Amino acid sequence: MDQNRPILSRVATSAPDASTAIDRSITDFPVATPIDEDNYFRFHKPPPYLSQISNDVASFINYNHQKQRKVVLVTSGGTTVPLENNTVRFIDNFSAGTRGATSAEYFLEHGYSVIFLHREFSLLPYSRHFSHTTNCLLDHLKFSNNGNNVEVDDDLQKDLVSVLKKYQQVKNENRLLLVPFTTVHQYLFTLKLIAQELSVIGSDALFYLAAAVSDFFLPSSRIPEHKIQSHDHGGKLVVDLEPVPKFLRRLVDSWAPIAMIVSFKLETDSSILIKKATTALERYNHQLVIGNLLQTRKTEVVFVTPNDNEWIKLSEKDIENQLEIESLIIPKIVTLHKEWIKSRDDLVK
Ligand code: PAZ
């Protein structure tokens, strides 16, 4: 048998069947008001580990600010909505965290320090190159020294050396902080906390919100403690969810009012993408919405600003050369962030 043959069937079960993809043309929920914020954070218990994250984030920001580095918060991966307190079942979404993990690497290459708020066990910067689905490391190792040591195959040496060098440098310079979440609830509490910590560095902070955050959730007052039994409701499970308050407006207005904020808008229907992205920009009053379609998100995105829609697309050649679209997105954002900082500085002169 061929030793190098992968043991994983390389089919993509998460690729959507367009005809069954969801249609999100329904009207958006109202933005969160200070009262919604108050109620949400008052009636839901904060995750027990929040104070530890607070310390880690505060010292990371402080250290990097002293080094005069800009700090970007990259959110990545999908949030879950638990249906039970002792969670056996939960609602999830498709996001693997590719956009977030890839973007984080390009921000690091551009000198930023990165707080990576990610779904636990989703893709991470650097290690993503050798994840179980892309390039399983075990498939590229061989024994040496009579089976007492292992070596990496020649074909992976170059890539591994290059990724490892970047990873170690970033670690040595203390420029990457990984902060996990699983549920939408943990995500919101942690986002608020990090935003408030980042407000200390004003316009040097950048928010790059690429996580796929649930639109619906089950309030804690209605979550059963134990596993729902199949006979509980006459054999049927009817789930009645509430809309997640739209906290982006609170982030812009109150949590980090001087930072630059970039959000993503995902749709499946190309005919509504620009309209939804433009509406988001108007409602939340931030600096940039990047629109993308589920089906083409790895090869094209659109930058939607108050005056302009600019498409960024990989060419056939780029795709052949395995160029990542984030290598085109991030330099543009770095430029916009510089302009943002300058405009804020000019305001106070
Ligand atoms: O994680 P991934 O690379 O598979 O997908 C990235 C994405 C589509 C979740 C992201 O680009 C995005 O659009 N995030 C925002 C989703 C939303 O509209 O809430």
Side-chain angles (χ1 to χ4, degrees), residues 80-90 183 223 225 227:
T80 69
V81 176
L83 299 183
E84 299 133 342
N85 250 338
N86 291 285
T87 309
V88 175
R89 303 183 184 96
F90 54 88
T183 66
I223 297 192
E225 187 182 348
K227 183 184 166 207

Side-chain angles (χ1 to χ4, degrees), residues 222-236:
R222 289 206 274 114
I223 297 192
E225 187 182 348
H226 291 294
K227 183 184 166 207
I228 301 167
Q229 298 299 313
S230 51
H231 54 74
D232 274 356
H233 308 279
K236 285 189 178 174

Side-chain angles (χ1 to χ4, degrees), residues 64-320:
N64 280 286
H65 191 48
Q66 275 177 14
K67 298 267 174 201
Q68 304 193 327
R69 296 174 185 145
K70 293 171 200 144
V71 181
V72 58
L73 171 69
V74 175
T75 70
S76 181
T79 61
T80 69
V81 176
L83 299 183
E84 299 133 342
N85 250 338
N86 291 285
T87 309
V88 175
R89 303 183 184 96
F90 54 88
I91 300 174
D92 204 351
N93 67 56
F94 71 95
S95 172
T98 314
R99 171 85 74 224
T102 312
S103 302
E105 283 181 27
Y106 288 104
F107 276 120
L108 287 159
E109 257 172 46
H110 280 82
Y112 277 72
S113 296
V114 175
I115 301 175
F116 190 65
L117 178 59
H118 66 285
R119 163 76 176 274
E120 196 170 359
F121 310 126
S122 65
L123 292 177
L124 295 177
Y126 306 114
S127 73
R128 76 182 169 101
H129 297 277
F130 310 103
S131 83
H132 54 290
T133 50
T134 37
N135 231 340
C136 177
L137 202 53
L138 289 179
D139 287 331
H140 295 276
L141 299 178
K142 57 187 177 211
F143 286 110
S144 63
N145 188 21
N146 291 329
N148 291 314
N149 290 355
V150 281
E151 274 175 19
V152 182
D153 281 348
D154 291 345
D155 60 349
L156 208 68
Q157 290 283 357
K158 212 167 128 227
D159 288 351
L160 197 56
V161 167
S162 144
V163 172
L164 188 62
K165 267 190 191 153
K166 290 182 196 165
Y167 174 62
Q168 290 194 343
Q169 184 179 356
V170 158
K171 255 176 69 172
N172 291 340
E173 292 173 352
N174 187 22
R175 289 204 290 127
L176 176 61
L177 179 66
L178 305 177
V179 180
F181 64 80
T182 296
T183 66
V184 61
H185 177 68
Q186 294 168 338
Y187 171 84
L188 290 175
F189 269 91
T190 317
L191 175 68
K192 181 174 180 183
L193 173 113
I194 297 175
Q196 289 174 332
E197 298 286 357
L198 271 175
S199 66
V200 173
I201 64 168
S203 60
D204 276 348
L206 171 64
F207 287 74
Y208 182 85
L209 307 173
V213 181
S214 323
D215 282 338
F216 307 96
F217 80 123
L218 195 56
S220 56
S221 56
R222 289 206 274 114
I223 297 192
E225 187 182 348
H226 291 294
K227 183 184 166 207
I228 301 167
Q229 298 299 313
S230 51
H231 54 74
D232 274 356
H233 308 279
K236 285 189 178 174
L237 178 61
V238 178
V239 184
D240 179 14
L241 302 173
E242 299 289 328
V244 172
K246 294 286 186 191
F247 283 111
L248 190 46
R249 188 58 187 257
R250 302 300 306 138
L251 175 67
V252 176
D253 283 355
S254 151
W255 302 347
I258 308 179
M260 175 169 166
I261 296 173
V262 178
S263 73
F264 277 80
K265 185 77 181 160
L266 173 75
E267 291 301 338
T268 57
D269 176 353
S270 58
S271 70
I272 61 170
L273 179 64
I274 300 278
K275 183 166 175 294
K276 295 286 256 190
T278 310
T279 310
L281 197 66
E282 285 163 3
R283 295 176 116 207
Y284 304 122
N285 203 20
H286 56 309
Q287 287 67 53
L288 170 66
V289 176
I290 302 181
N292 55 173
L293 292 167
L294 183 65
Q295 303 88 329
T296 55
R297 67 190 188 282
K298 299 202 171 157
T299 54
E300 59 182 51
V301 299
V302 55
F303 273 38
V304 177
T305 51
N307 313 317
D308 197 21
N309 306 326
E310 186 194 353
W311 282 95
I312 296 168
K313 296 185 187 195
L314 291 181
S315 65
E316 294 284 316
K317 188 115 203 207
D318 291 339
I319 296 170
E320 237 173 67

